Structures are given as C-alpha cells and as structure tokens.
Amino acid sequence: MSAGVPKPGRADAPSSPAAAPAGDWIGQLRWNDAGLVAAIAQDAASGTVLMLAWMNREALELTVASGRAVYWSRSRGRLWRKGEESGNFQIVREIRLDCDGDAVLLQVEQEGGVACHTGRESCFYNRLDDARWIAVEPVLIDPRRLYR
Amino acid sequence: MSAGVPKPGRADAPSSPAAAPAGDWIGQLRWNDAGLVAAIAQDAASGTVLMLAWMNREALELTVASGRAVYWSRSRGRLWRKGEESGNFQIVREIRLDCDGDAVLLQVEQEGGVACHTGRESCFYNRLDDARWIAVEPVLIDPRRLYR
C-alpha cells in the first residue's frame, strides 16, 4: 500500500528469506487495528480483479491450509469461506504479500466464473463515466440462483 | 469487498444510473471510519496489480480532475500525488467502483514501469513459497535513483 517513501527495514523485511524462518511467514504480516489485512482476489487466467476483501490471521491460515479463499466478513463478524453459500469457491493458486506487509494478492480460479454476489464476474463492475457510475459488466448468474 | 450475502438496496445502488444524478458520483462511495476507501492500481496494459493504497474524498476528486492517481498517505497523514517524489506518475485510464462502494479499481499507465518504492514494478513481489515469503520480482530501478 505504501508505494511511497521507503521505510527502511520494514518494507524490505517480508522479502528477506533470512528474516523469515520457514513457518514464520504469518508473523511478517502487519495487521491493522482490527487484526485484518486487505486481500485482493485476481483471476489467475484472465487477470481480472475480482474483489477486495479482508482476512484475519485465522482466515489466511485456513486459506493456505485448504487452498480455498477464506475471508473475514466484517459485516457478519465471522469467517467467510468464499462460496459457502453460492458454491462459487475460489481455488488459490498463489499468494503474494505487498511491500509493507498489510495486503495480500490471491491468484485464484473462480468456481462458476462469478465472484460478485450480484452474479457478475467481478465486484468492480461500476465504471465512472461522465460523472456517473455505470454498471458495465453483465449479470452472468441470477443472484436468486446463487443464494437459494 | 462484500462479495457475500446480498445487501438489498446497498450493493446495487452504485450500479443504478437512476440513483445517481450526474455529478453525484462521489456521494455513492462508502467511506470507512477514517474517511477512506481502498484503491487498487492495476496496469492497464499488462493487468499486473501494482499496489493497494487509500483515497479520501479529496484524493479521489483530484484523481478524476487531474487524470493522475492521487492517494491519501496514512503514514504521512497527507495527500500523496503518486510519483511526486519518484516522477513515476500513474495516468488513470479508468476508475471502477465495487458492489458495495468501498473500494475503487484504477486502470493506470505506470510512468517508469515501477510502482513500488523498492524499484519493482509491483508492490506485490513477495510470493508465499513453502512457508516463506520470497521476493520473486526483479528490482528494475535502484530506489536510491527513485528518491534522491
């Protein structure tokens, strides 16, 4: 997130294997005051940015252990196994950490091709166009079919 | 962010032009308690996710008005015109808003090809590999040359 002024010793820490004994990878994350890091899910094949969500330590550990994206739902105040209701799981192919350790980027295979609860591929379907937000992505699956 | 259970009337609001008179686009964002929304910058040509930063209302308005990415630096507590120190501006080609209005996705042309203060293309250069974060992206520009 801080692609700005270098922060000596901090921004580089996550990239130094010497600073990270195997197994201590989780200790290098910088959780916010709520104990969360931002998590971006990107389609591994198309490169489409699908969604931005949040993870606490348990969600990230479960994601790594299971190979499926698990987030922390701030609105529901509980772990959110992506696809638990819609069946549209995210198979995680790669996890990246950013330079200051407070955001992760997941390369995923999106089951069903739909990440958004509106039935669209991506949650980022509103494009700013002449001072309006216009929905420019098609609804691929009726949300009523996603959440029976 | 909440690609989970539908939130009637909220998640869909940003996507409805009828709900947004021209000029009121900014009013549809859902700022967090600090008055910020998350902002993902993606390379418009390669699809590489470059960084995750934050914007307050002024930063987003300045981004739209100038066509160059302006963020809010939480560490410095001030507006951060991306590239103001390094010269590596981000030319913004498109702005998307997500389904619940609290995250934006910028399609950018990254001046200098380097978004990260470490001199790498992307801030997400640490890949989780066998319980270690390994820096897998090359340093393209010596940071000492970015910040003289």
Side-chain angles (χ1 to χ4, degrees):
Chain A
M1 168 224 90
S2 65
V5 174
K7 299 181 179 58
R10 194 184 76 182
D12 294 335
S15 66
S16 167
D24 187 40
W25 62 276
I26 196 84
Q28 294 185 60
L29 275 83
R30 293 180 49 246
W31 312 95
N32 68 11
D33 292 344
L36 305 175
V37 292
I40 302 165
Q42 181 176 30
D43 186 281
S46 68
T48 300
V49 174
L50 300 174
M51 55 186 281
L52 173 67
W54 295 85
M55 291 183 173
N56 61 6
R57 177 176 178 139
E58 184 179 10
L60 180 54
E61 288 176 331
L62 287 170
T63 297
V64 171
S66 68
R68 289 183 172 186
V70 179
Y71 301 106
W72 175 259
S73 171
R74 299 179 304 174
S75 58
R76 284 168 279 174
R78 65 166 175 86
L79 287 173
W80 163 33
R81 290 170 173 76
K82 173 64 177 168
E84 63 191 7
E85 296 172 81
S86 65
N88 291 349
F89 300 98
Q90 291 176 339
I91 310 302
V92 178
R93 295 308 182 193
E94 182 182 82
I95 302 179
R96 297 281 188 108
L97 180 66
D98 76 346
C99 55
D100 62 355
D102 64 0
V104 294
L105 173 64
L106 311 179
Q107 295 294 330
V108 305
E109 292 178 22
Q110 176 62 63
E111 294 288 321
V114 168
C116 186
H117 71 283
T118 64
R120 297 176 173 90
E121 176 190 16
S122 168
C123 294
F124 292 95
Y125 59 79
N126 300 292
R127 187 180 65 204
L128 186 61
D129 183 1
D130 191 22
R132 293 172 184 264
W133 295 108
I134 307 296
V136 293
E137 300 296 335
V139 173
L140 302 176
I141 302 177
D142 184 333
R144 289 168 296 189
R145 288 187 43 226
L146 285 176
Y147 307 98
R148 297 177 184 278
Chain B
M1 170 225 90
S2 66
V5 173
K7 299 180 180 59
R10 194 182 76 181
D12 293 336
S15 66
S16 167
D24 188 39
W25 63 276
I26 196 86
Q28 294 185 59
L29 276 82
R30 294 181 47 246
W31 312 95
N32 68 11
D33 293 343
L36 305 175
V37 292
I40 302 165
Q42 182 176 29
D43 186 282
S46 67
T48 299
V49 174
L50 301 174
M51 55 188 281
L52 172 67
W54 295 85
M55 291 183 172
N56 61 6
R57 176 175 178 141
E58 183 178 11
L60 180 54
E61 289 175 333
L62 286 170
T63 296
V64 171
S66 68
R68 288 183 172 187
V70 179
Y71 302 105
W72 175 259
S73 171
R74 298 180 304 173
S75 58
R76 285 169 279 174
R78 64 167 177 84
L79 287 172
W80 163 32
R81 289 169 173 76
K82 173 65 177 169
E84 63 190 7
E85 296 172 81
S86 65
N88 291 349
F89 300 99
Q90 292 175 338
I91 311 301
V92 178
R93 294 307 182 194
E94 183 182 81
I95 301 179
R96 298 280 188 107
L97 180 64
D98 76 345
C99 55
D100 62 354
D102 64 359
V104 294
L105 173 63
L106 311 179
Q107 294 295 331
V108 305
E109 294 178 23
Q110 177 62 63
E111 293 288 321
V114 167
C116 186
H117 72 282
T118 64
R120 296 177 172 90
E121 176 190 16
S122 167
C123 294
F124 292 94
Y125 58 80
N126 301 292
R127 185 180 67 203
L128 188 60
D129 183 0
D130 191 23
R132 293 172 185 263
W133 296 109
I134 307 296
V136 294
E137 299 297 336
V139 172
L140 303 176
I141 302 177
D142 185 334
R144 290 168 296 188
R145 287 187 44 227
L146 286 175
Y147 308 98
R148 296 178 185 279

PDB file of all heavy atoms in Angstrom, chain B residues 105-126:
ATOM      1  N   LEU B 105     -11.064   0.548  -8.243  1.00  0.00           N
ATOM      2  CA  LEU B 105     -10.032  -0.110  -9.045  1.00  0.00           C
ATOM      3  C   LEU B 105      -9.633   0.845 -10.160  1.00  0.00           C
ATOM      4  O   LEU B 105     -10.478   1.260 -10.957  1.00  0.00           O
ATOM      5  CB  LEU B 105     -10.574  -1.420  -9.626  1.00  0.00           C
ATOM      6  CG  LEU B 105      -9.693  -2.166 -10.622  1.00  0.00           C
ATOM      7  CD1 LEU B 105      -8.386  -2.627  -9.965  1.00  0.00           C
ATOM      8  CD2 LEU B 105     -10.445  -3.363 -11.211  1.00  0.00           C
ATOM      9  N   LEU B 106      -8.366   1.223 -10.176  1.00  0.00           N
ATOM     10  CA  LEU B 106      -7.863   2.134 -11.198  1.00  0.00           C
ATOM     11  C   LEU B 106      -7.117   1.345 -12.263  1.00  0.00           C
ATOM     12  O   LEU B 106      -6.265   0.522 -11.933  1.00  0.00           O
ATOM     13  CB  LEU B 106      -6.887   3.147 -10.586  1.00  0.00           C
ATOM     14  CG  LEU B 106      -7.299   3.900  -9.331  1.00  0.00           C
ATOM     15  CD1 LEU B 106      -6.164   4.825  -8.898  1.00  0.00           C
ATOM     16  CD2 LEU B 106      -8.568   4.682  -9.559  1.00  0.00           C
ATOM     17  N   GLN B 107      -7.439   1.604 -13.526  1.00  0.00           N
ATOM     18  CA  GLN B 107      -6.623   1.093 -14.619  1.00  0.00           C
ATOM     19  C   GLN B 107      -5.646   2.212 -14.962  1.00  0.00           C
ATOM     20  O   GLN B 107      -6.072   3.320 -15.314  1.00  0.00           O
ATOM     21  CB  GLN B 107      -7.481   0.740 -15.833  1.00  0.00           C
ATOM     22  CG  GLN B 107      -8.440  -0.420 -15.584  1.00  0.00           C
ATOM     23  CD  GLN B 107      -7.718  -1.733 -15.330  1.00  0.00           C
ATOM     24  OE1 GLN B 107      -6.615  -1.950 -15.822  1.00  0.00           O
ATOM     25  NE2 GLN B 107      -8.349  -2.592 -14.543  1.00  0.00           N
ATOM     26  N   VAL B 108      -4.355   1.937 -14.824  1.00  0.00           N
ATOM     27  CA  VAL B 108      -3.367   3.011 -14.962  1.00  0.00           C
ATOM     28  C   VAL B 108      -2.265   2.655 -15.962  1.00  0.00           C
ATOM     29  O   VAL B 108      -2.011   1.488 -16.249  1.00  0.00           O
ATOM     30  CB  VAL B 108      -2.696   3.334 -13.596  1.00  0.00           C
ATOM     31  CG1 VAL B 108      -3.749   3.667 -12.541  1.00  0.00           C
ATOM     32  CG2 VAL B 108      -1.794   2.196 -13.140  1.00  0.00           C
ATOM     33  N   GLU B 109      -1.648   3.713 -16.464  1.00  0.00           N
ATOM     34  CA  GLU B 109      -0.370   3.596 -17.165  1.00  0.00           C
ATOM     35  C   GLU B 109       0.687   4.066 -16.181  1.00  0.00           C
ATOM     36  O   GLU B 109       0.678   5.220 -15.760  1.00  0.00           O
ATOM     37  CB  GLU B 109      -0.364   4.452 -18.426  1.00  0.00           C
ATOM     38  CG  GLU B 109      -1.333   3.984 -19.493  1.00  0.00           C
ATOM     39  CD  GLU B 109      -1.342   4.890 -20.705  1.00  0.00           C
ATOM     40  OE1 GLU B 109      -0.342   5.598 -20.941  1.00  0.00           O
ATOM     41  OE2 GLU B 109      -2.370   4.908 -21.407  1.00  0.00           O
ATOM     42  N   GLN B 110       1.570   3.163 -15.789  1.00  0.00           N
ATOM     43  CA  GLN B 110       2.572   3.450 -14.763  1.00  0.00           C
ATOM     44  C   GLN B 110       3.817   4.062 -15.407  1.00  0.00           C
ATOM     45  O   GLN B 110       4.572   3.374 -16.086  1.00  0.00           O
ATOM     46  CB  GLN B 110       2.933   2.184 -14.005  1.00  0.00           C
ATOM     47  CG  GLN B 110       4.034   2.364 -12.963  1.00  0.00           C
ATOM     48  CD  GLN B 110       3.655   3.332 -11.876  1.00  0.00           C
ATOM     49  OE1 GLN B 110       2.721   3.100 -11.132  1.00  0.00           O
ATOM     50  NE2 GLN B 110       4.369   4.457 -11.798  1.00  0.00           N
ATOM     51  N   GLU B 111       4.009   5.360 -15.169  1.00  0.00           N
ATOM     52  CA  GLU B 111       5.220   6.021 -15.675  1.00  0.00           C
ATOM     53  C   GLU B 111       6.452   5.329 -15.104  1.00  0.00           C
ATOM     54  O   GLU B 111       6.490   5.002 -13.907  1.00  0.00           O
ATOM     55  CB  GLU B 111       5.227   7.494 -15.269  1.00  0.00           C
ATOM     56  CG  GLU B 111       4.138   8.324 -15.920  1.00  0.00           C
ATOM     57  CD  GLU B 111       4.397   8.573 -17.391  1.00  0.00           C
ATOM     58  OE1 GLU B 111       5.568   8.805 -17.759  1.00  0.00           O
ATOM     59  OE2 GLU B 111       3.436   8.499 -18.179  1.00  0.00           O
ATOM     60  N   GLY B 112       7.439   5.064 -15.951  1.00  0.00           N
ATOM     61  CA  GLY B 112       8.676   4.451 -15.492  1.00  0.00           C
ATOM     62  C   GLY B 112       8.580   2.952 -15.276  1.00  0.00           C
ATOM     63  O   GLY B 112       9.587   2.295 -15.026  1.00  0.00           O
ATOM     64  N   GLY B 113       7.348   2.426 -15.339  1.00  0.00           N
ATOM     65  CA  GLY B 113       7.172   0.974 -15.204  1.00  0.00           C
ATOM     66  C   GLY B 113       7.399   0.452 -13.797  1.00  0.00           C
ATOM     67  O   GLY B 113       7.497  -0.753 -13.582  1.00  0.00           O
ATOM     68  N   VAL B 114       7.478   1.360 -12.831  1.00  0.00           N
ATOM     69  CA  VAL B 114       7.782   0.983 -11.452  1.00  0.00           C
ATOM     70  C   VAL B 114       6.787   1.659 -10.512  1.00  0.00           C
ATOM     71  O   VAL B 114       6.763   2.882 -10.420  1.00  0.00           O
ATOM     72  CB  VAL B 114       9.219   1.385 -11.069  1.00  0.00           C
ATOM     73  CG1 VAL B 114       9.431   1.280  -9.569  1.00  0.00           C
ATOM     74  CG2 VAL B 114      10.224   0.523 -11.828  1.00  0.00           C
ATOM     75  N   ALA B 115       5.974   0.856  -9.822  1.00  0.00           N
ATOM     76  CA  ALA B 115       5.018   1.412  -8.865  1.00  0.00           C
ATOM     77  C   ALA B 115       5.549   1.353  -7.438  1.00  0.00           C
ATOM     78  O   ALA B 115       5.170   2.161  -6.597  1.00  0.00           O
ATOM     79  CB  ALA B 115       3.690   0.665  -8.940  1.00  0.00           C
ATOM     80  N   CYS B 116       6.420   0.391  -7.157  1.00  0.00           N
ATOM     81  CA  CYS B 116       6.847   0.145  -5.771  1.00  0.00           C
ATOM     82  C   CYS B 116       8.079   0.963  -5.410  1.00  0.00           C
ATOM     83  O   CYS B 116       8.989   1.135  -6.229  1.00  0.00           O
ATOM     84  CB  CYS B 116       7.138  -1.336  -5.576  1.00  0.00           C
ATOM     85  SG  CYS B 116       7.518  -1.770  -3.860  1.00  0.00           S
ATOM     86  N   HIS B 117       8.098   1.420  -4.164  1.00  0.00           N
ATOM     87  CA  HIS B 117       9.236   2.240  -3.710  1.00  0.00           C
ATOM     88  C   HIS B 117      10.530   1.424  -3.628  1.00  0.00           C
ATOM     89  O   HIS B 117      11.609   1.992  -3.480  1.00  0.00           O
ATOM     90  CB  HIS B 117       8.926   2.858  -2.347  1.00  0.00           C
ATOM     91  CG  HIS B 117       8.941   1.867  -1.223  1.00  0.00           C
ATOM     92  ND1 HIS B 117       7.902   1.013  -0.983  1.00  0.00           N
ATOM     93  CD2 HIS B 117       9.876   1.593  -0.298  1.00  0.00           C
ATOM     94  CE1 HIS B 117       8.186   0.254   0.051  1.00  0.00           C
ATOM     95  NE2 HIS B 117       9.379   0.577   0.498  1.00  0.00           N
ATOM     96  N   THR B 118      10.410   0.094  -3.765  1.00  0.00           N
ATOM     97  CA  THR B 118      11.617  -0.750  -3.776  1.00  0.00           C
ATOM     98  C   THR B 118      12.231  -0.821  -5.178  1.00  0.00           C
ATOM     99  O   THR B 118      13.236  -1.519  -5.368  1.00  0.00           O
ATOM    100  CB  THR B 118      11.282  -2.183  -3.318  1.00  0.00           C
ATOM    101  OG1 THR B 118      10.380  -2.780  -4.267  1.00  0.00           O
ATOM    102  CG2 THR B 118      10.648  -2.175  -1.929  1.00  0.00           C
ATOM    103  N   GLY B 119      11.572  -0.172  -6.141  1.00  0.00           N
ATOM    104  CA  GLY B 119      12.088  -0.169  -7.502  1.00  0.00           C
ATOM    105  C   GLY B 119      11.555  -1.313  -8.354  1.00  0.00           C
ATOM    106  O   GLY B 119      12.039  -1.566  -9.457  1.00  0.00           O
ATOM    107  N   ARG B 120      10.528  -1.985  -7.808  1.00  0.00           N
ATOM    108  CA  ARG B 120       9.917  -3.081  -8.563  1.00  0.00           C
ATOM    109  C   ARG B 120       8.645  -2.605  -9.246  1.00  0.00           C
ATOM    110  O   ARG B 120       8.047  -1.612  -8.865  1.00  0.00           O
ATOM    111  CB  ARG B 120       9.618  -4.251  -7.629  1.00  0.00           C
ATOM    112  CG  ARG B 120      10.862  -4.890  -7.002  1.00  0.00           C
ATOM    113  CD  ARG B 120      10.470  -5.987  -6.024  1.00  0.00           C
ATOM    114  NE  ARG B 120      11.611  -6.755  -5.537  1.00  0.00           N
ATOM    115  CZ  ARG B 120      12.301  -6.433  -4.446  1.00  0.00           C
ATOM    116  NH1 ARG B 120      11.984  -5.349  -3.757  1.00  0.00           N
ATOM    117  NH2 ARG B 120      13.319  -7.194  -4.045  1.00  0.00           N
ATOM    118  N   GLU B 121       8.224  -3.377 -10.270  1.00  0.00           N
ATOM    119  CA  GLU B 121       7.007  -2.992 -10.985  1.00  0.00           C
ATOM    120  C   GLU B 121       5.819  -2.922 -10.029  1.00  0.00           C
ATOM    121  O   GLU B 121       5.045  -1.970 -10.045  1.00  0.00           O
ATOM    122  CB  GLU B 121       6.695  -4.015 -12.105  1.00  0.00           C
ATOM    123  CG  GLU B 121       5.390  -3.725 -12.836  1.00  0.00           C
ATOM    124  CD  GLU B 121       4.953  -4.845 -13.752  1.00  0.00           C
ATOM    125  OE1 GLU B 121       5.477  -5.973 -13.618  1.00  0.00           O
ATOM    126  OE2 GLU B 121       4.081  -4.592 -14.611  1.00  0.00           O
ATOM    127  N   SER B 122       5.667  -3.951  -9.207  1.00  0.00           N
ATOM    128  CA  SER B 122       4.518  -4.080  -8.319  1.00  0.00           C
ATOM    129  C   SER B 122       4.970  -4.181  -6.864  1.00  0.00           C
ATOM    130  O   SER B 122       6.050  -4.706  -6.565  1.00  0.00           O
ATOM    131  CB  SER B 122       3.732  -5.351  -8.675  1.00  0.00           C
ATOM    132  OG  SER B 122       2.792  -5.669  -7.654  1.00  0.00           O
ATOM    133  N   CYS B 123       4.100  -3.686  -5.966  1.00  0.00           N
ATOM    134  CA  CYS B 123       4.370  -3.838  -4.535  1.00  0.00           C
ATOM    135  C   CYS B 123       4.160  -5.293  -4.083  1.00  0.00           C
ATOM    136  O   CYS B 123       4.664  -5.689  -3.028  1.00  0.00           O
ATOM    137  CB  CYS B 123       3.445  -2.932  -3.730  1.00  0.00           C
ATOM    138  SG  CYS B 123       3.758  -1.176  -3.994  1.00  0.00           S
ATOM    139  N   PHE B 124       3.447  -6.076  -4.895  1.00  0.00           N
ATOM    140  CA  PHE B 124       3.142  -7.467  -4.507  1.00  0.00           C
ATOM    141  C   PHE B 124       4.208  -8.400  -5.066  1.00  0.00           C
ATOM    142  O   PHE B 124       3.933  -9.229  -5.945  1.00  0.00           O
ATOM    143  CB  PHE B 124       1.752  -7.856  -5.002  1.00  0.00           C
ATOM    144  CG  PHE B 124       0.643  -7.120  -4.312  1.00  0.00           C
ATOM    145  CD1 PHE B 124       0.125  -5.961  -4.873  1.00  0.00           C
ATOM    146  CD2 PHE B 124       0.133  -7.552  -3.096  1.00  0.00           C
ATOM    147  CE1 PHE B 124      -0.895  -5.253  -4.239  1.00  0.00           C
ATOM    148  CE2 PHE B 124      -0.880  -6.856  -2.455  1.00  0.00           C
ATOM    149  CZ  PHE B 124      -1.395  -5.702  -3.028  1.00  0.00           C
ATOM    150  N   TYR B 125       5.415  -8.255  -4.567  1.00  0.00           N
ATOM    151  CA  TYR B 125       6.541  -9.020  -5.129  1.00  0.00           C
ATOM    152  C   TYR B 125       6.964 -10.183  -4.249  1.00  0.00           C
ATOM    153  O   TYR B 125       7.851 -10.950  -4.625  1.00  0.00           O
ATOM    154  CB  TYR B 125       7.740  -8.094  -5.388  1.00  0.00           C
ATOM    155  CG  TYR B 125       8.265  -7.357  -4.180  1.00  0.00           C
ATOM    156  CD1 TYR B 125       9.110  -7.992  -3.267  1.00  0.00           C
ATOM    157  CD2 TYR B 125       7.921  -6.039  -3.945  1.00  0.00           C
ATOM    158  CE1 TYR B 125       9.593  -7.327  -2.160  1.00  0.00           C
ATOM    159  CE2 TYR B 125       8.404  -5.360  -2.834  1.00  0.00           C
ATOM    160  CZ  TYR B 125       9.237  -6.013  -1.950  1.00  0.00           C
ATOM    161  OH  TYR B 125       9.713  -5.341  -0.846  1.00  0.00           O
ATOM    162  N   ASN B 126       6.333 -10.338  -3.087  1.00  0.00           N
ATOM    163  CA  ASN B 126       6.673 -11.449  -2.187  1.00  0.00           C
ATOM    164  C   ASN B 126       5.688 -12.592  -2.373  1.00  0.00           C
ATOM    165  O   ASN B 126       4.494 -12.445  -2.110  1.00  0.00           O
ATOM    166  CB  ASN B 126       6.622 -10.988  -0.734  1.00  0.00           C
ATOM    167  CG  ASN B 126       7.575  -9.857  -0.457  1.00  0.00           C
ATOM    168  OD1 ASN B 126       8.788 -10.034  -0.489  1.00  0.00           O
ATOM    169  ND2 ASN B 126       7.028  -8.647  -0.224  1.00  0.00           N
TER     170      ASN B 126
END
